[in-house]
Structures are given as structure tokens and as C-alpha cells.
Amino acid sequence: MQAEPIDGAAAIGQSGGPTAVINQSLVGVIEGLRGFKNITKIYGMRHGVAGLTRGELVDLTDISQEKLDLVARTPSAALGSTRDKPDEDYCARIVEACREHDIRYYFYIGGNDSSDACRIVNEIAANSGYELRCFHVPKTVDNDLMENDHTPGYPSAARFVATAFMADGRDNASLPGIKINVVMGRHAGFLTAASVLARRDENDGPHLIYLPEVPFEMDRFVEDVDRVFSKVGRCQIAVSEGIQDESGEAIGAKLISAADRDAHGNVQLSGSGALGDQLASLLKAKLTPAGGKPPRVRADTFGYLQRCWPDASPIDAQEARGSGRHAAHLAARGDRDGSVAIKRIEGPDGEYHCEFKRVELSAVAAKTRLMPREFIGGHNDVTQAFVAYARPLVGELPEFGRL
Amino acid sequence: MQAEPIDGAAAIGQSGGPTAVINQSLVGVIEGLRGFKNITKIYGMRHGVAGLTRGELVDLTDISQEKLDLVARTPSAALGSTRDKPDEDYCARIVEACREHDIRYYFYIGGNDSSDACRIVNEIAANSGYELRCFHVPKTVDNDLMENDHTPGYPSAARFVATAFMADGRDNASLPGIKINVVMGRHAGFLTAASVLARRDENDGPHLIYLPEVPFEMDRFVEDVDRVFSKVGRCQIAVSEGIQDESGEAIGAKLISAADRDAHGNVQLSGSGALGDQLASLLKAKLTPAGGKPPRVRADTFGYLQRCWPDASPIDAQEARGSGRHAAHLAARGDRDGSVAIKRIEGPDGEYHCEFKRVELSAVAAKTRLMPREFIGGHNDVTQAFVAYARPLVGELPEFGRL
């Protein structure tokens, strides 16, 4: 049931880990709102809900298209982001701040924690009799939102990971050894899986891919590496920062001393090289032949560059913009709330298309989507179904020559 | 004194850590040799001198220009590289292998260790009465070769570092905290210094830059970070992997347990996150207010992506190709040996140009060039003179928008 439009301001916030295209979504919402005459003002929240509750708003109503286009191409959250996870009390202050600034349209760009906060704000506003329309715009490099074929931010991060594995694979072939690359993704292995797109020839890496969805066994890992290294003379390995043991405990968390926890209770896995370094030490110790030299083992942790590298996938840039616009259109057509989701449509010749649809906030809020079973290939690989899924998203990858 | 050309084969090898443009130099040598009618064959050494002494050669004489162009654009050593540092005995086997394959022109693309090996091979050949013309083509992301304004490989790695600091700087502004980025460079700080190119606005990072040329003092480091963090609310830090204490001992080497040493006796500093992680732990411990929460501190170690990222600086690609061609021209004009060096020429309007010159192998061999004093700004920064030096090398950097 559509509601009558209500006059008032709109506020847009960005939350959680930034991406290469989160500003595309911001600009998409602004563009979408411009044709909507009930909007009296467009505010940006400085550092999401943290800034909103302190009244830190920036007026985006009259910003030029030229400036918008430049901001859209800029990685990371131009408004600033936040890791705050609002509880009921915090959400009440959010609603209060909206009331104070006559904000009637609330847009929040973020992941599953953000959509949950959006859902709570929506409820509190409704219960307190303040009419506030709440919309969530998807964003996460982890690609772990329910209802979405994939999420804005993921294709660009996947593009970085695939490119990095291609380049690092040539480096590894040039100076052969065992190379571990640790990839972001706390619970979902989609980003680590994207490393597979680096494979071109039979002997190309990644030779082994370890996802958080498959319990990680140390002995089996050593055996896997030993087998590949003996056969190929080198071994390039993709490891998710979120790999877990049989009991569900993150291997990285065990290894990171003085582990940070953020406001969501999540252990800090990014911004540390501990997991890669520990796995490298282990391999060196286990694979040194009796009386012989240890193999050359190196570990890189790709870190924050994965989520902000300024070479977005063109499809991702377009879809992030589109999902922001779609959220504004939902508001304009009289929806009271909702989250935008991306649905994939195959064209008549199997080519890739997508469309946006509205889903309930509660369908996305605080839930985590993992790699589906058909994408997982045994305990150390992904399937061709995953390759077919991921390839159209990342855009054109560089072509390499060999001798 | 120029020598008469001698009929025979040419062999080209690639050595040491690969770069984004080391294949440009390989292709440059091949192209340069094509017009030189005394060349009977062009061989590539598989994994440098290691392959040559085992007779592992690939015939590059008739490779198509199309293939060459594709290989040139591909990062990392297409022939394979090696870390072998040949001693006298090894060099004698190299000369033996050359004799066996009628190789009269020897081209070796690499850093200061490679030019030293080239020098020894040259001497042994001369002493054993085998006429062999030996040429060194410069390559190193560390930019630490004597006689060169800069070295092929450096501008592309500097481009990666500058781009990474720009993107990571937006990430750091978006979710404020203390961020350490560890950059390659064992003795010379040129690559770490390139992070300065990320600065656009007054509050932009990197706020602090630590080079191996300036003794690193832990207490002063903590004070520096505290001061910036208190003032700006965040702090982005560039740290060279090669930072040393007053006595010249590498801070990273002290922290990396079970440190590897390569055949050159160098401790492994890359391929580990230990330095960044330890500095992050230290800052967290020292900057936590009494009874308060620790600041958000993260560390990324850029690792091998710095040297192989497939987005070469256009000037670097051109100069790497040109230096390879120039080495071939030295051979064609009758030089017996030499190393190619890059000399900078300022155009009439101050614009950047370069030219190639021949220098003695001994002028480059086994020597290390450090950051000159006029590029170093106190104990935690670089100067405008360095910015003026580095800016023309890296090519155009992305333009970012802000709100």
C-alpha cells in the first residue's frame, strides 16, 4: 500500500567499511531525489548516524552535477562513515534528530548492520508517531547481503583481487615459491573466491582457495600445499581472513594478539598481517626437508586497498549509482520503507543484465548470506558456476603475454 | 675505444625482484638488436643466469612484434627471474655456457647485484680469452642505482604507492584512526617517499614519512603520531620496510622471527606483515589513555603488489623500453661493455625529459644510492625538492572529489 508523499527534507548517510563505489550510491540518491518535488532539502550525514545525532549535516541540495560526478568516481565515503551500531536508545536519538531537522526521508547506505539500524529507526519513528520513510541502499565488498544477486562494492573489490592475483601470479612464476595472499571477508568467501578469475593457463594460480564456509584443517592445508608445490614448483594460495576451524572459531582471531573488537562485537581481522605470517611460518616449518633448505614462503595481506582502490568495475559503478537512484524512486512512488536489492537477469544470449527491486528491510537486516554450495569446489577451490557468476561483474581484466 | 663488431648470438636475462616494466626492457633489447646484422640469434635465459648455466634458453629471434608488444605490457619477468648471486666459479660457468651457445653479446636486466655479476662475467671472459660483450640494463623499484636519475621500475612502483596512499587516505578520513602503511625499500627510501604525492589538501596524509636513511627512534615515533592524531583526529603513516635504528640494524629484521636470508645475505623484509603489526601494537599500547579505549590502529603492508601492479607509469614503460634499446645500440656501435643510465634533462620550460648514457659497469656494480640529503625533510617527512623530482615520473594520478 503506497503512502501519500510527505513534504520534508531527506538525509543520506554512509556506514561501515567504505568501497570504491559507495559515493556512486550517494550521488544516485541525490540525483533520484532531484525530480521529487516534495523534498525540501537534501542533507548528508557526517559519519552516518554518529554525525546525524550531533547535528553534523552538510547541505547537498544545490551541489553541481560536475561536482557530483567527481565525487561519484572517488572511492571511500565522501560524507565519512561510522562503525556505530545504534541500539534502541541511539535510534531514538536518530529519530529525534530527524524531527529537529524536519527530515522525512532517511537513506542509509551500508551492509547488513546498517539495514538493521534502518529497520529499528523505522520502527521507533512509527511507534513515536513521527512519519519517517526509511530506505536502505546496499553496500558491502563482502557480498553477504540476503536477497541480492550481489552487492554494490563487491564487483570492484573482486576486480582488485582478480587483478592482484594475476599480477602476483606472474611474480610467483618469475621467482617461484609458495605465496599466500590473505583476502578480506569475515564470514562470506565471495571476495576470496574472486581470485579464481586470475586463472588463464593450466598452471596458473591461485592453486588453492580457502573460504570461511569450509572448515579449515591445518594438516590438510599443509598436505595441499606440499602436493601443489611438488607438482608445479610453486604454489599461489588465496586465503580468506575469515577462515574458521571445525568449531567455527576464526583461525585469524586465534593468532592476532590483543585482538580488537569493534562496536558490533566483531574481532578485527583486517589491518593485520598475522594470519598470513603465521600460515607462512607453519608452512616453512612443515615443508623444510630434513637437513635441507626451507622453501621460499611469502605472505601478503591485501588489506584496505581491496575496498578503496580507484579502479572500479564499470558495472559496479553503474549499479551502485542505480541502486541509489532506485531508493529515491521508492520514496517518490510512496513506499514507506524498504531495501534495494540487485536481481540478475540473463539476456537472450546469456548476457548479463540486472534490475533493482524493493525488498523488506527485515529480509536483509542483520542476516548474512554465505557462498551457496554450488559455488564451493571441495575444500580448496571454487566451481565453474562461481566463475560464470563472477566474471561478468568485474569488467575487463588486463591481458598478459607469456614467453 | 670501440671494438669491431663480432658475429654471434645474443642472450638476455632478467634478474632480481620483477617490476611492472622489466619486460619493456627485455623487448627493448630485442628490438634494438633486430637492426644489428652481426647478431645470429637472440636467446632468452630462463630464470637468468640459473637457466643459462643449465642451458635453458628460449629462442626469441623470430618472435612477432605483436607478441612482443603484449609481453612488454605484462608485469613481472616473462623469462623468469633469479636471486642467484654468482661468485667467480659460477661466473666461469656462465662464460662456459656462452661459449657453448656461441653467445657473444650478454645483456642482463637487473639491479646493483646484477650489474656486479655482469662485471665479473665480463672480467672472466676477458681473462679466459673469450670475446664477450657485457651490458647491464637498469631495473629496480628501489631506485637505488648510482649514476641514474632514477631507474626503470621505480616510477611504476611509485605510482602504485602514491595511488594507494590517495585511496587509503580517503578510507582513513572516512573511518578516522591511525593507519600505518609499510612500503618496500631495503636501504633507500625513494619508494616510501613517493607516498607524499598523495597529498592534495592541508590535512591529507601521509602525515608522517619514515625513511631508512634517517635513524628511527621508537619514542620519537610515538610522540609524532600522538601529536598528529591529537590535531587532525587521524594519522596516516608511511613507513619503509627498511627503517633502521641508530646502529644501522633494521627494525623489521629484529621483529621478524625466523628471518630468512637470501643468497645475497639480505634478510627477508618483504612478504611479512610483522613490522607494521608490531608498530601498530606499540602505538595501541602507548596511546591508550588511562582507563580509556585504545585508538583505532591498523597496519597494511603493501607487499609484492607494489612491484607488479599492471598499471605502469607511461613514462616508465617508455624509458624501460628505451634503456633496453640503448643497451643494444651500445653493442651495435662497438662498445665492449657498459651499463645504461638514465639522465634527466630539463626542457626550456622546466618540463621533464630524459636521455640514456653509457656508464662503466663498475660505477653501478654492488653500490647503493640513497635518498640525497635535499630530499629528506627532518626525521619524518620529505621535501618539496623530492616532490618536484618524483611528480613527473609517476604519470597522471586520479582526481578525487570531496564534500
Side-chain angles (χ1 to χ4, degrees):
Chain A
M1 209 186 68
Q2 308 300 309
E4 284 301 305
I6 178 171
D7 285 353
I12 314 165
Q14 296 174 303
S15 183
T19 75
V21 298
I22 187 171
N23 289 331
Q24 293 279 1
S25 294
L26 168 64
V27 168
V29 176
I30 297 170
E31 289 173 338
L33 289 175
R34 286 203 162 157
F36 181 19
K37 64 182 181 343
N38 296 79
I39 301 294
T40 52
K41 250 188 190 326
I42 303 172
Y43 291 119
M45 311 175 198
R46 283 278 177 224
H47 298 285
V49 292
L52 171 61
T53 53
R54 291 192 297 257
E56 292 167 16
L57 299 172
V58 46
D59 191 337
L60 304 172
T61 317
D62 298 318
I63 194 166
S64 73
Q65 187 64 41
E66 192 190 349
K67 175 103 175 194
L68 284 183
D69 286 335
L70 183 58
V71 167
R73 290 196 303 273
T74 302
S76 291
L79 289 170
S81 188
T82 178
R83 288 265 176 220
D84 282 0
K85 183 183 167 70
D87 55 15
E88 296 261 326
D89 182 55
Y90 197 129
C91 287
R93 282 186 287 132
I94 292 171
V95 174
E96 199 44 52
C98 289
R99 198 189 293 262
E100 201 172 308
H101 297 90
D102 191 32
I103 294 162
R104 294 293 185 170
Y105 299 90
Y106 180 94
F107 295 90
Y108 216 52
I109 307 165
N112 36 26
D113 285 323
S114 300
S115 59
D116 196 35
C118 213
R119 181 188 62 77
I120 303 174
V121 167
N122 194 33
E123 279 177 16
I124 291 182
N127 292 341
S128 68
Y130 181 71
E131 197 160 349
L132 182 68
R133 314 272 165 96
C134 292
F135 303 92
H136 169 248
V137 182
K139 174 260 15 165
T140 168
V141 297
D142 290 344
N143 202 34
D144 63 353
L145 298 194
M146 301 298 284
E147 302 282 341
N148 284 272
D149 176 77
H150 60 279
T151 55
Y154 171 67
S156 295
R159 175 178 179 78
F160 180 90
V161 169
T163 307
F165 268 85
M166 285 184 75
D168 178 77
R170 293 296 84 212
D171 196 297
N172 182 246
S174 174
L175 285 172
I178 297 167
K179 179 70 193 298
I180 300 166
N181 292 321
V182 178
V183 181
M184 275 186 170
R186 186 177 297 279
H187 299 294
F190 292 101
L191 199 51
T192 304
S195 62
V196 73
L197 300 176
R199 283 189 203 146
R200 292 285 183 283
D201 281 14
E202 199 197 336
N203 281 336
D204 277 0
H207 306 98
L208 300 167
I209 301 175
Y210 296 97
L211 309 168
E213 286 86 350
V214 182
F216 185 84
E217 292 174 23
M218 216 51 105
D219 291 345
R220 191 167 63 176
F221 169 66
V222 175
E223 283 167 29
D224 288 349
V225 176
D226 193 23
R227 192 181 58 250
V228 173
F229 188 55
S230 305
K231 189 181 156 210
V232 187
R234 58 192 182 89
C235 185
Q236 192 196 34
I237 309 163
V239 174
S240 166
E241 64 177 8
I243 51 167
Q244 306 174 356
D245 65 17
E246 199 64 66
S247 74
E249 193 182 354
I251 308 286
K254 291 197 223 179
L255 302 175
I256 299 169
S257 63
D260 270 357
R261 276 175 196 276
D262 68 11
H264 303 211
N266 297 325
V267 174
Q268 175 213 333
L269 294 179
S270 300
S272 157
L275 175 61
D277 288 351
Q278 292 294 330
L279 293 176
S281 296
L282 178 88
L283 289 175
K284 225 176 276 184
K286 297 274 189 182
L287 298 182
T288 302
K293 267 181 55 182
R296 182 174 181 273
V297 187
R298 298 291 185 269
D300 274 335
T301 302
F302 288 165
Y304 291 102
L305 299 182
Q306 294 165 86
R307 71 185 189 192
C308 60
W309 190 255
D311 173 34
S313 146
I315 278 183
D316 195 21
Q318 210 180 329
E319 292 180 351
R321 188 97 154 225
S323 58
R325 281 202 197 114
H326 193 75
H329 294 161
L330 294 183
R333 81 180 188 191
D335 279 313
R336 292 183 185 277
D337 56 35
S339 177
V340 174
I342 293 183
K343 197 177 157 184
R344 184 186 299 232
I345 305 160
E346 254 187 29
D349 298 320
E351 75 275 18
Y352 172 87
H353 295 287
C354 89
E355 64 176 22
F356 305 108
K357 59 173 182 175
R358 176 192 173 278
V359 296
E360 295 294 336
L361 286 169
S362 58
V364 181
K367 294 185 174 68
T368 299
R369 174 178 170 239
L370 301 180
M371 287 268 284
R373 188 178 291 251
E374 69 265 25
F375 286 174
I376 299 174
H379 75 278
N380 60 20
D381 207 352
V382 300
T383 61
Q384 277 308 307
F386 174 79
V387 174
Y389 163 83
R391 184 154 285 156
L393 303 181
V394 299
E396 229 173 283
L397 295 173
E399 202 194 337
F400 285 173
R402 301 171 194 235
L403 291 174
Chain B
M1 209 184 69
Q2 309 299 311
E4 285 300 305
I6 178 170
D7 285 352
I12 314 165
Q14 298 174 302
S15 184
T19 75
V21 298
I22 187 171
N23 290 331
Q24 293 280 2
S25 294
L26 168 66
V27 168
V29 177
I30 297 171
E31 288 173 339
L33 289 174
R34 284 200 164 160
F36 181 19
K37 63 183 185 339
N38 296 78
I39 300 294
T40 53
K41 248 188 192 329
I42 303 172
Y43 290 119
M45 312 175 197
R46 283 279 177 224
H47 297 285
V49 291
L52 171 61
T53 53
R54 292 191 299 254
E56 292 167 17
L57 298 172
V58 47
D59 191 338
L60 303 173
T61 319
D62 299 318
I63 194 166
S64 72
Q65 188 63 42
E66 191 190 350
K67 175 103 174 194
L68 284 184
D69 286 334
L70 184 58
V71 167
R73 288 195 305 272
T74 301
S76 290
L79 289 171
S81 189
T82 178
R83 288 265 177 217
D84 282 1
K85 182 182 167 70
D87 55 14
E88 297 260 327
D89 183 56
Y90 196 128
C91 286
R93 284 186 286 132
I94 292 172
V95 174
E96 200 42 54
C98 289
R99 197 189 293 264
E100 201 171 307
H101 295 91
D102 192 31
I103 293 162
R104 295 291 185 172
Y105 299 90
Y106 181 93
F107 295 90
Y108 216 51
I109 308 165
N112 36 24
D113 285 324
S114 300
S115 59
D116 196 37
C118 213
R119 181 188 61 79
I120 303 174
V121 166
N122 193 34
E123 280 177 17
I124 291 182
N127 293 342
S128 69
Y130 181 71
E131 196 162 349
L132 183 67
R133 314 271 166 98
C134 291
F135 303 93
H136 169 247
V137 183
K139 171 256 24 159
T140 168
V141 299
D142 290 344
N143 202 35
D144 61 353
L145 297 195
M146 300 298 284
E147 303 282 342
N148 284 272
D149 176 76
H150 61 278
T151 54
Y154 171 68
S156 296
R159 177 180 177 77
F160 180 91
V161 169
T163 308
F165 268 85
M166 284 185 74
D168 178 76
R170 294 296 82 214
D171 196 297
N172 182 246
S174 173
L175 285 172
I178 296 166
K179 179 70 194 298
I180 299 166
N181 293 321
V182 178
V183 180
M184 274 186 172
R186 183 176 300 279
H187 299 295
F190 293 101
L191 199 51
T192 304
S195 63
V196 73
L197 301 176
R199 284 189 202 146
R200 290 288 181 283
D201 281 14
E202 198 198 338
N203 281 335
D204 276 1
H207 305 99
L208 299 167
I209 301 176
Y210 296 97
L211 309 169
E213 286 86 352
V214 182
F216 185 83
E217 293 173 22
M218 216 50 105
D219 291 345
R220 192 168 61 175
F221 169 66
V222 175
E223 282 166 29
D224 289 348
V225 176
D226 193 22
R227 191 182 56 251
V228 172
F229 188 55
S230 303
K231 189 182 155 210
V232 186
R234 59 195 183 86
C235 185
Q236 192 195 34
I237 309 163
V239 174
S240 166
E241 65 178 7
I243 50 167
Q244 305 174 357
D245 64 16
E246 200 64 65
S247 74
E249 193 181 354
I251 308 285
K254 292 198 221 178
L255 301 175
I256 298 168
S257 60
D260 269 359
R261 277 175 196 275
D262 67 12
H264 303 210
N266 297 324
V267 173
Q268 175 214 333
L269 294 178
S270 300
S272 157
L275 175 60
D277 288 352
Q278 292 294 330
L279 293 177
S281 295
L282 177 87
L283 289 177
K284 225 177 276 186
K286 297 274 188 182
L287 298 182
T288 302
K293 268 180 58 182
R296 181 173 182 272
V297 187
R298 298 291 185 269
D300 273 335
T301 301
F302 288 165
Y304 291 102
L305 299 182
Q306 293 165 90
R307 70 186 192 193
C308 61
W309 191 255
D311 173 34
S313 144
I315 278 183
D316 195 21
Q318 212 180 327
E319 291 180 351
R321 189 96 153 228
S323 58
R325 279 201 198 115
H326 193 75
H329 293 161
L330 293 183
R333 80 178 189 191
D335 280 313
R336 292 184 186 276
D337 57 34
S339 178
V340 174
I342 293 183
K343 196 176 157 186
R344 182 186 300 231
I345 306 162
E346 254 188 30
D349 299 320
E351 74 274 20
Y352 171 87
H353 296 287
C354 88
E355 65 176 24
F356 305 107
K357 59 173 182 176
R358 176 193 172 278
V359 297
E360 295 294 335
L361 286 169
S362 59
V364 181
K367 294 185 175 68
T368 298
R369 175 178 169 240
L370 302 180
M371 287 268 283
R373 191 178 290 251
E374 70 264 26
F375 286 176
I376 300 175
H379 75 278
N380 60 20
D381 206 352
V382 299
T383 61
Q384 277 308 306
F386 175 79
V387 174
Y389 163 83
R391 183 156 286 157
L393 304 180
V394 299
E396 229 174 284
L397 296 173
E399 201 195 338
F400 285 173
R402 302 172 191 231
L403 290 174

